[in-house]
Amino acid sequence: MKIYFDGCAKTRGDAIKPYEYNRFTTLLCNKLGAEEYNIARGGSSNRRLVRNLLEHDLSKYDLFVIQMSKRERLEWYNKTKKEWRNVCTNICAPHKGTEKDYSSGKKEHFKYYFDRIYTDEMGIIDEKICFSAMKSLLQNKNHVIIFMGNHECSVPVDFSYRKGKGYHDRFDEKAHKKIYNDIIRHLTTYK
């Protein structure tokens, strides 16, 4: 059995390093005796999740666990480096105060975009488009779609973990254990 995981830093387990063996993805694979294929990346956007599904041979995986991310995130293709880059509006490290971090280069362009063009309505419809694309691509495959973020999710995911409700400030080992338990319960209930 091989399980495909994608999402942001939470699915990658960044907050619990060096204890990755306690992240929900590893716990799930250990429980099911499965090989873990985890391509989660910090700052990931929902568009990246869809693109990754489109670029993979989905027949190689027995289960998909996709973690939707903050709806305002984007990505762009850097032609010079021939790579996709994340666009985030996360607050920078404390030493930088409350300045926004448009961490992918082209800072002024994205600052203008988020300050003057982007609206929550755009983010909500993009979240719905990405969710619909994922559901369509995974329609005949075993999958679980979860959400982790700081806003209410606008789509019917299997599990939603909102900051302050599903987890507190830090996405710690306790949060990973809860997600693992929720997914195991879901898989055994809907088998």
Side-chain angles (χ1 to χ4, degrees), residues 31-87:
K31 173 73 173 178
L32 300 176
E35 178 183 345
E36 180 176 344
Y37 180 74
N38 189 335
I39 57 172
R41 186 168 93 187
S44 283
S45 67
N46 293 326
R47 291 179 185 206
R48 178 183 172 273
L49 304 176
V50 173
R51 179 178 55 75
N52 283 341
L53 288 170
L54 290 167
E55 293 177 348
H56 279 78
D57 177 358
L58 303 184
S59 68
K60 293 181 178 181
Y61 308 95
D62 302 291
L63 174 64
F64 297 82
V65 179
I66 309 295
Q67 175 243 314
M68 293 186 73
S69 188
K70 295 176 183 176
R71 61 174 66 121
E72 70 273 6
R73 291 178 175 173
L74 304 171
E75 66 175 358
W76 65 280
Y77 189 73
N78 183 323
K79 290 181 183 179
T80 306
K81 294 186 177 183
K82 296 185 175 155
E83 67 182 7
W84 287 95
R85 304 293 305 269
N86 295 336
V87 178

Side-chain angles (χ1 to χ4, degrees), residues 61-191:
Y61 308 95
D62 302 291
L63 174 64
F64 297 82
V65 179
I66 309 295
Q67 175 243 314
M68 293 186 73
S69 188
K70 295 176 183 176
R71 61 174 66 121
E72 70 273 6
R73 291 178 175 173
L74 304 171
E75 66 175 358
W76 65 280
Y77 189 73
N78 183 323
K79 290 181 183 179
T80 306
K81 294 186 177 183
K82 296 185 175 155
E83 67 182 7
W84 287 95
R85 304 293 305 269
N86 295 336
V87 178
C88 301
T89 59
N90 297 344
I91 301 301
C92 289
H95 67 279
K96 293 186 179 181
T98 60
E99 176 187 343
K100 288 189 175 180
D101 174 19
Y102 304 96
S103 59
S104 316
K106 301 191 183 283
K107 184 175 181 172
E108 290 307 312
H109 170 78
F110 290 116
K111 180 173 176 10
Y112 181 86
Y113 173 79
F114 284 110
D115 289 346
R116 305 270 176 105
I117 298 170
Y118 177 84
T119 64
D120 286 337
E121 292 79 10
M122 290 169 65
I124 290 169
I125 198 65
D126 195 60
E127 187 172 67
K128 290 178 180 179
I129 290 167
C130 290
F131 177 78
S132 295
M134 286 185 250
K135 289 299 276 185
S136 178
L137 290 165
L138 299 174
Q139 67 182 331
N140 296 317
K141 309 209 176 303
N142 292 326
H143 65 277
V144 178
I145 300 178
I146 60 180
F147 167 78
M148 296 176 208
N150 55 5
H151 62 270
E152 290 292 335
C153 187
S154 66
V155 294
V157 294
D158 296 303
F159 298 99
S160 182
Y161 305 95
R162 185 170 176 208
K163 189 173 184 176
K165 292 184 180 179
Y167 65 96
H168 294 287
D169 293 332
R170 188 170 151 86
F171 200 75
D172 59 10
E173 292 176 54
K174 184 177 175 183
H176 279 270
K177 185 74 169 175
K178 176 177 178 20
I179 293 167
Y180 157 75
N181 285 325
D182 289 345
I183 292 172
I184 287 293
R185 192 169 33 258
H186 179 77
L187 293 174
T188 56
T189 303
Y190 296 103
K191 213 170 189 182

Side-chain angles (χ1 to χ4, degrees), residues 5-14 23-25 36 38 40 65-67 146 148 171 176:
F5 295 95
D6 202 357
C8 70
K10 293 173 180 72
T11 297
R12 192 171 66 183
D14 286 5
R23 71 179 173 200
F24 76 90
T25 61
E36 180 176 344
N38 189 335
V65 179
I66 309 295
Q67 175 243 314
I146 60 180
M148 296 176 208
F171 200 75
H176 279 270

